[in-house]
Amino acid sequence: MATIINADTSDGLKLTSDTSGQIDFQSAGSTKATIDTSGNLKFNSGFGSVGTAYGVRAWVNIDGVGTVGINASGNVSSITDVGTGAYRVNFTNAMPDTNFVISVTTRVHSYDRTQITARTTTSCDLGGFALGGSGADYDPVNVIVVR
Amino acid sequence: MRIIYETSDGGVAVIVPTPEYLLTHTMEELAAKDVPTGVNYEIVEDSVVPSDRAFRGAWTWA
């Protein structure tokens, strides 16, 4: 059971409450989104059913050319430029563990020219490199952390 | 502003803050969080850090 907020096509807003602690958001009596008692946000946004949404916990768009800068970011306190093509991304709020997934891309096509070298709950180290394997600076270096 | 410190191999690390973090924190607070524990650091103007990265690996901090 759940407390239900339903946008009914005949009667408009319909509220049904209980003491389960879960909230369901419905359209015409069909559940489209849920916040369960563990705080998990679940929605059907083309999934085909209501499923848990796994959010991006941190992201940053690094300008690694010339004067290194940050084009935009979320949940990142800073980046540390530690060498040619080598960066540490420092999180504002730490991850719950080190099992998060990191995606790093650059503007270079056809070759995988990025690598992830280390991770902790508070940061991750990554790099861009040239085809020969040496470090290389790129703009942008896009980083997404999902957990 | 930037934070610079010497890395364990004698190189130089440069910390670039995000604008969002500086909305609610100071550079000193950022240094306390993101500079490795026990490492000396210096807060400098952006212009102190070279924009020519051709010899990035040769940078030193005197």
Side-chain angles (χ1 to χ4, degrees), chain A residues 76-79 81 91 137, chain B residues 14 16 18 33-34 53 56:
Chain A
V76 171
S77 60
S78 68
I79 62 162
D81 160 26
F91 306 133
D137 296 322
Chain B
V14 181
V16 182
T18 59
K33 189 179 86 64
D34 291 348
R53 297 175 61 80
R56 175 62 182 85

Side-chain angles (χ1 to χ4, degrees), chain A residues 5-89:
Chain A
I5 301 173
N6 179 21
D8 189 80
T9 52
S10 298
D11 300 325
L13 179 63
K14 294 177 69 175
L15 298 175
T16 306
S17 65
D18 70 3
T19 58
S20 66
Q22 177 169 312
I23 303 172
D24 286 357
F25 297 89
Q26 296 185 346
S27 174
S30 173
T31 299
K32 304 301 183 185
T34 295
I35 300 174
D36 69 19
T37 56
S38 296
N40 294 313
L41 171 63
K42 304 177 180 181
F43 58 56
N44 181 350
S45 183
F47 290 178
S49 61
V50 175
T52 302
Y54 299 98
V56 172
R57 296 297 185 92
W59 61 275
V60 61
N61 177 332
I62 300 170
D63 176 358
V65 176
T67 301
V68 173
I70 297 168
N71 294 319
S73 65
N75 193 32
V76 171
S77 60
S78 68
I79 62 162
T80 306
D81 160 26
V82 292
T84 302
Y87 312 99
R88 171 170 291 169
V89 176

